[in-house]
Structures are given as C-alpha cells and as structure tokens.
C-alpha cells in the first residue's frame, strides 16, 4: 500500500498510538480495557504505579505496580513518570519509559487514567498521536448505583468518589470521543471502532 502514497503522507496506524481511556468512577474503564486487550494483540496496557493498597482481585504488575510512598517519591525525583496525580489520598502515575518504548515499537498503548491525567498526557507532547476517550455510564443514577455496588469503601469514600465524578464530567469538552457504557459489549465495540478509525487516519509527515 505504501507505494501508492504520495511523498510526505502516511497512515497513523503505522506508528504507535496512545489511547487514553478516562472517565468517572463507575464508568467501567477497567472492564472495557480488559475486553479490548483480550481481543487485540496490537494493544498493550500501560500499568500505572500507585500507593493505593492492592485489592484482593488485583495483581502486582498486571493491574498496577503497588509501591510505597518512598518508592513513589523516588519515581517522581527520577523523572520516571509521564504524569501523576493524587486521587482520594493515594498517588497514581504513568511510567514514562514503558509507554514510550512500546509506542516506538509501533504498539498501541491503552491508558486508564482519571481526567487530569488524560489532559497531562496530551500536554506532554510525546511525539506520538494521543487519542482521548471519555467513558460514561448511561446516567447519573446508574453511575451512583455502580459506585455503590462496588462496595469496597466507606460511605465517606463513596461520597468523595461521587463528588470527583461530578467534577470530572465537566471536562468532557477536552476529549476527542464520548463513549456510553450502557452494555459492556457495545461499549467495547464503540471503542474498537474508534481504534480502527484512528489507525486509518491520514497523516502528513515532514
Ligand atoms: P482505582 O483506585 O479505582 O484503581 O483508580 C482511581 C482512579 O485513578 C481512576 O480514575 C483511574 O483511572 C485513575 N488512575 C489510575 N492510574 C492512573 C495514572 O497513572 N495516572 C492518573 N492520572 N490516574 C490514574
């Protein structure tokens, strides 16, 4: 196909693309991302570092790198994080080298971050395309129900998650795509459609 293209033109999918999936608690980011990863070998997950305690179903190195406060301080000092944030009293950050190495190899990377993180990843000007996807539950009522159903936290922590969720929704205009997660299957198909289209995007190279 390349021999058909005029000089200075390429297809975005020839290089790695960073697909950032953000959205409020209860949007179903983790479920959508696991489904995407299991269906597309060209996608790889950016495992974040966090100081939050591990939940029983989570695996170190797969879901997060669970690190101490000191280790997190060291990551910041070394400039090892592309971005980091504080969420409900715990720190979360994206390891820089891991993401860049995969993009350089031509692999697409999926990131699960809160809204400020998504903005920071775009602002970091990685030299690779960054696609910002905002995932939402079908309604506020459903968001509240999903956060409650998770049930791993105190009433206070739940209220804080809901307050943060309200605030996060205000940032939808900064994103490229809005995906409603009413059914997991359909939400995954919608994100897959975005990924397919972004890979076919025509880019002008210098
Ligand atoms: P949880 O504790 O529920 O796994 O995650 C809490 C929030 O932190 C979620 O909104 C998740 O997307 C976000 N998060 C996870 N890793 C990162 C990261 O590396 N950077 C940023 N900015 N947010 C993250």
């Amino acid at each position: 196909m390349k021999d058909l293209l005029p000089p200075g033109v390429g297809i975005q999918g020839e290089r790695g693309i960073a697909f950032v999936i953000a959205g409020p608690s209860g949007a179903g980011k983790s479920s959508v991302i696991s489904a995407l990863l299991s269906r597309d070998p060209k996608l790889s997950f950016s495992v974040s570092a966090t100081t939050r305690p591990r939940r029983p179903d989570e695996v170190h190195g797969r879901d997060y790198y669970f690190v101490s406060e000191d280790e997190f301080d060291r990551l910041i000092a070394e400039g090892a994080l592309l971005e980091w944030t504080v969420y409900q009293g715990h720190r979360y950050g994206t390891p820089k080298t891991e993401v860049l190495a995969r993009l350089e190899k031509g692999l697409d990377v999926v990131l699960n971050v809160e809204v400020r993180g998504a903005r920071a990843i775009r602002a970091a000007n990685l030299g690779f395309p960054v696609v910002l996807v905002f995932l939402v539950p079908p309604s506020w009522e459903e968001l509240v129900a999903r956060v409650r159903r998770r049930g791993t936290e105190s009433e206070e922590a739940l209220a804080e998650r809901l307050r943060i969720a309200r605030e996060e929704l205000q940032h939808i205009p900064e994103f490229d795509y809005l995906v409603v997660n009413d059914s997991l299957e359909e939400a995954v198909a919608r994100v897959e459609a975005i990924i397919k289209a972004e890979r076919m995007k025509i880019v002008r190279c210098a």
Side-chain angles (χ1 to χ4, degrees), residues 1-11 14 202-206:
M1 177 273 286
K2 272 190 190 156
D3 55 350
L4 300 174
L5 300 177
V9 169
I11 296 297
E14 283 170 1
I202 294 170
V203 288
R204 282 103 198 145
C205 345

Side-chain angles (χ1 to χ4, degrees), residues 39-196:
R39 285 150 65 148
D40 184 345
K42 214 198 147 204
L43 287 178
S44 76
F45 183 56
S46 160
V47 179
S48 294
T50 184
T51 58
R52 161 167 85 57
R54 191 176 65 80
R55 296 185 186 128
D57 58 333
E58 290 177 326
V59 176
H60 178 82
R62 182 194 70 187
D63 301 291
Y64 282 107
Y65 297 113
F66 297 97
V67 300
S68 65
E69 295 291 345
D70 284 351
E71 283 171 302
F72 205 96
D73 284 341
R74 194 172 46 76
L75 292 173
I76 297 172
E78 287 171 352
L81 300 177
L82 198 55
E83 59 77 40
W84 67 274
T85 194
V86 180
Y87 184 94
Q88 287 201 303
H90 302 296
R91 290 186 288 176
Y92 297 82
T94 307
K96 193 192 282 176
T97 333
E98 225 170 88
V99 170
L100 288 178
R102 293 189 209 160
L103 291 171
E104 271 153 24
K105 268 196 234 158
L107 282 173
D108 295 335
V109 179
V110 180
L111 300 99
N112 176 347
V113 297
E114 47 66 74
V115 168
R116 280 169 299 173
R119 195 192 306 154
I121 291 163
R122 169 153 288 163
N125 288 320
L126 299 181
F128 289 91
V130 172
V131 179
L132 302 186
V133 178
F134 199 104
L135 191 67
V136 282
S139 65
W140 178 255
E141 200 185 347
E142 178 60 19
L143 183 150
V144 175
R146 288 186 194 174
V147 174
R148 280 200 174 281
R149 231 176 284 141
R150 187 177 276 182
T152 50
E153 296 160 317
S154 64
E155 274 300 310
E156 218 177 26
L158 287 180
E160 177 64 0
R161 274 196 187 243
L162 293 179
R163 190 195 60 75
I164 297 171
R166 264 277 181 237
E167 207 277 316
E168 290 194 310
L169 293 169
Q170 305 309 309
H171 294 278
I172 290 175
E174 296 164 32
F175 281 70
D176 301 312
Y177 295 96
L178 182 68
V179 171
V180 178
N181 183 8
D182 39 6
S183 99
L184 179 62
E185 195 52 38
E186 283 183 41
V188 172
R190 289 176 187 130
V191 181
E192 282 179 328
I194 293 168
I195 293 174
K196 265 191 199 160

